[in-house]
Amino acid sequence: MATCEIPAVPEVHPALRRRFSPVRFDPDAIVTAAQLDTLLQAAGNAPSAGNSQPWSFIVGRRGDEVHDRIVQYLARSSTAWAPGASLLVVNLAHVRVEDTDNWEYSEFARYDLGQAVAHMTIQGLVLGLDAHQFRAFDRDAVAAEFDVPGHWEVTSMTAFGVAAHAPGEIASPGTSRERAEIDEITWARAGGS
Ligand SMILES: Cc1cc2nc3c(=O)[nH]c(=O)nc-3n(C[C@H](O)[C@H](O)[C@H](O)COP(=O)(O)O)c2cc1C
């Protein structure tokens, strides 16, 4: 049973309101092993179709050996900011059944991975960590580097750390922070209070 207090005037949670994808991180900020465990627990607690849990993560903390192995496959655009983050997390989806002729593991594998990543990033906000998800890296090369088997897909990456700038202060090239209005993202809805 949910036990959160419901505010009289509903509003988006402050952590979600201030969330943004930084393009410069504090180069001295560290994510502790305990914080990392908490991020992974939050991801692992996400719901998934049939409780299939089709996710796995490659985790590099800045300065460690896994981090060094990930960084070499960043695209030029993400090399400008991602290595300075405290943590790089590669997000993997379990897309096929092992040793089969392309049988789908779950039709919701990427949906569920995205949800686990969302849980991880929101947990990060609670811990004071900002996050920038991205795909600007060589996914095949990362898969080869870490011997990821063919029934798993290297899908995306998340940089976690402490933002070193305010939202909107530095524009991320090729990206936008503009949002559609809620009536534009609502397919159908009855009126009333
Ligand atoms: C799956 C995914 C891939 C993304 N890829 C990139 C990327 O390659 N480079 C980048 O700078 N940002 C990337 N982003 C971040 C988005 O551009 C960003 O979330 C969007 O512009 C909205 O900005 P905001 O997160 O600050 O609100 C990606 C986000 C997601 C969820």
Side-chain angles (χ1 to χ4, degrees):
M1 188 169 65
T3 54
C4 292
E5 224 172 89
I6 299 170
V9 180
E11 57 181 24
V12 174
H13 192 280
L16 293 177
R17 274 209 310 265
R18 66 169 188 266
R19 185 211 64 77
F20 73 109
S21 302
V23 285
R24 191 185 301 150
F25 288 91
D26 177 348
D28 298 321
I30 290 190
V31 171
T32 66
Q35 287 176 321
L36 174 54
D37 284 349
T38 306
L39 293 175
L40 291 166
Q41 274 167 8
N45 277 337
S48 58
N51 200 23
S52 51
Q53 303 172 63
W55 47 63
S56 190
F57 306 97
I58 299 169
V59 181
R61 283 199 288 168
R62 198 183 55 242
D64 77 14
E65 166 257 336
V66 176
H67 186 270
D68 290 347
R69 290 168 66 194
I70 296 170
V71 160
Q72 57 185 327
Y73 301 114
L74 296 177
R76 191 181 304 180
S77 61
S78 50
T79 299
W81 52 267
S86 313
L87 200 64
L88 289 176
V89 180
V90 182
N91 306 309
L92 313 185
H94 191 171
V95 289
R96 280 178 283 282
V97 178
E98 189 174 6
D99 295 332
T100 64
D101 188 15
N102 221 8
W103 286 8
E104 197 175 39
Y105 175 71
S106 161
E107 65 176 308
F108 295 107
R110 293 181 187 84
Y111 176 99
D112 291 341
L113 171 66
Q115 184 149 225
V117 173
H119 281 227
M120 195 188 289
T121 59
I122 293 165
Q123 180 65 54
L125 293 170
V126 174
L127 297 174
L129 296 170
D130 302 289
H132 190 152
Q133 298 176 47
F134 63 103
R135 76 82 59 233
F137 65 100
D138 187 334
R139 302 197 297 178
D140 293 339
V142 169
E145 173 71 29
F146 291 94
D147 296 324
V148 175
H151 56 292
W152 283 84
E153 178 195 88
V154 171
T155 303
S156 62
M157 203 183 302
T158 313
F160 285 95
V162 175
H165 66 96
E169 193 183 12
I170 309 174
S172 179
T175 64
S176 154
R177 299 212 69 234
E178 270 180 41
R179 292 303 198 267
E181 300 295 330
I182 59 170
D183 59 354
E184 295 177 272
I185 60 168
T186 309
W187 193 273
R189 170 180 174 169
S193 56

